[in-house]
Amino acid sequence: MGSATSSMASKFAFYPPDPPTYRIISDETTKKPALSNVLRRENVDVLKLCTKRGNQIVAVFIKNPSATLTVLYSHGNAADLGQIFNIFSELSAHLDVNLMGYDYSGYGQSSGKPSEQDTYADIEAAYKCLGEKYGVKDENLILYGQSVGSGPTLELAIRVPRLRAVILHSAILSGIRVMYPVKRSYWFDIYKNIDKVPLVNCPVLVIHGTADEVVDYSHGKKLWELCKEKYEPLWVIGGNHCNLELYPEYLRHLTKFISAIQKLPPSQDIILESEQINADLSESGGDVKGISFRSSTDQSEKSSSRLINEHRDKSRTSVDDKEKPRASSDRKERARRSIDKQSKTRNSTDQAEKPRRSFDRFGDMVRSVGLCNVDCFKQTATAV
């Protein structure tokens, strides 16, 4: 049944660039593997990883010496590492993170044929490499899934309990739901993200364009509604499926999110702290000065929610907020204007010029490549 499901699902979604946009070559100086169309850099490793399904996939790891967090990026459809490496490099520099990107089986110079189950094995191989070769801990790892990449991203997210965060970019509810507004999940569906996202226990950022012509904006909204730990989403007004990186708010919002995540204590620290609290409470009969015994999960959720709740969707109206005294609203407004003023002052300095130039380069890179096929989710004639 699993093989039949994978075979049917593969007809819905996978369009690797043909021919691939790069080759694997040997660097003349270091003799290490390199991408043929990419300028070689000392901080970049090109890797060949073996998956549990017998394929060998290509991955790149971009090291940022000042980074504390690492992003594992699962790219969208109709793209491979040769097209998007420079975008990965800019994201690593701009967000101050290490970044690993990989090609799915059958994409680029990765062996095999693409399927749902193979992409799950692919991201697992990349994840294991981060831990075993680079020492990346789960609590310092952010999973980033774009379009089709949201499938393997959420599959891994529900199996790794101590992730720092998840980013869903133009994500899908499921393969069939892209084409038909079905109300239930079918056995032959692909990437049932609608059923998985409620199981993710770390903060989730959702990014989606309101004019997405491939994956309707409603997919992003529904995924965000189903998240346990909601971060302020980014709805790019007028953005479509393939161009969100061109909007200035894209990098601004990602930077804001990474900054907020860095302020959160690692989930491991939260759990260890809560376990100590629970131990103290247990010794006192489960109640200290009226404080009831809580599980470590409760403590973790409470600690992480403290910051995330500050970034809830600003567009939602709140009955409670309307009931607050006018003076409270005035104080908030004065504080907001003060922050805006400081922000404008900073933006007017020469220090803001470097990020602006960085974004300009980033936008030029996005314009120079095609990151998606608009037919990437249309089933073939034999799909049903």
Side-chain angles (χ1 to χ4, degrees), residues 142 165-167 203-205 231 253-261:
I142 298 174
V166 168
I167 300 171
V204 178
L205 166 62
Y231 185 85
H253 204 81
L254 274 180
T255 302
K256 178 182 174 184
F257 177 67
I258 296 296
S259 177
I261 292 302

Side-chain angles (χ1 to χ4, degrees), residues 52-92:
K52 65 182 182 182
R53 290 175 65 87
N55 296 325
Q56 189 176 68
I57 64 170
V58 180
V60 294
F61 183 71
I62 303 173
K63 293 169 280 190
N64 186 316
S66 61
T68 58
L69 300 176
T70 297
V71 172
L72 176 53
Y73 195 116
S74 300
H75 64 68
N77 219 343
D80 63 21
L81 291 177
Q83 291 173 290
I84 58 180
F85 173 82
N86 288 332
I87 293 175
F88 284 172
S89 183
E90 283 293 313
L91 282 176
S92 173

Side-chain angles (χ1 to χ4, degrees), residues 7 19 28 41 44 48 90 94 101 106 115 132 137 143 162 175 192 208 211 300 309 345 363:
S7 176
E28 296 178 357
R41 302 173 187 175
V44 176
K48 293 183 178 180
E90 283 293 313
H94 193 95
S115 72
E132 295 173 0
K137 298 180 179 179
L143 301 185
R162 293 180 175 179
K192 301 173 188 176
H208 216 106
S300 174
N309 286 340
T345 302

Side-chain angles (χ1 to χ4, degrees), residues 25-157:
I25 61 175
S26 177
D27 185 272
E28 296 178 357
T29 303
T30 64
K31 305 302 180 183
K32 294 181 179 180
L35 303 185
S36 60
N37 63 342
V38 172
L39 181 66
R40 260 69 80 195
R41 302 173 187 175
E42 293 183 0
N43 68 323
V44 176
D45 292 339
V46 176
L47 309 160
K48 293 183 178 180
L49 309 176
C50 294
T51 77
K52 65 182 182 182
R53 290 175 65 87
N55 296 325
Q56 189 176 68
I57 64 170
V58 180
V60 294
F61 183 71
I62 303 173
K63 293 169 280 190
N64 186 316
S66 61
T68 58
L69 300 176
T70 297
V71 172
L72 176 53
Y73 195 116
S74 300
H75 64 68
N77 219 343
D80 63 21
L81 291 177
Q83 291 173 290
I84 58 180
F85 173 82
N86 288 332
I87 293 175
F88 284 172
S89 183
E90 283 293 313
L91 282 176
S92 173
H94 193 95
L95 301 178
D96 202 18
V97 295
N98 302 313
L99 189 147
M100 173 172 277
Y102 65 100
D103 267 339
Y104 311 120
S105 296
Y107 279 67
Q109 296 298 326
S110 296
S111 66
K113 294 182 178 180
S115 72
E116 179 184 17
Q117 296 303 318
D118 277 300
T119 62
Y120 295 160
D122 298 338
I123 194 172
E124 182 178 336
Y127 164 71
K128 286 185 176 180
C129 176
L130 285 175
E132 295 173 0
K133 183 176 178 66
Y134 298 104
V136 176
K137 298 180 179 179
D138 294 346
E139 54 268 26
N140 293 325
L141 180 62
I142 298 174
L143 301 185
Y144 190 123
Q146 179 183 13
S147 187
V148 167
S150 61
T153 290
L154 285 175
E155 175 67 16
L156 182 61

Side-chain angles (χ1 to χ4, degrees), residues 340-359:
D340 289 344
K341 183 177 179 180
Q342 293 174 12
S343 178
K344 289 178 182 179
T345 302
R346 286 196 300 269
N347 289 338
S348 65
T349 64
D350 292 339
Q351 292 178 350
E353 189 66 19
K354 184 176 180 181
R356 187 189 66 80
R357 289 196 300 267
S358 175
F359 175 78

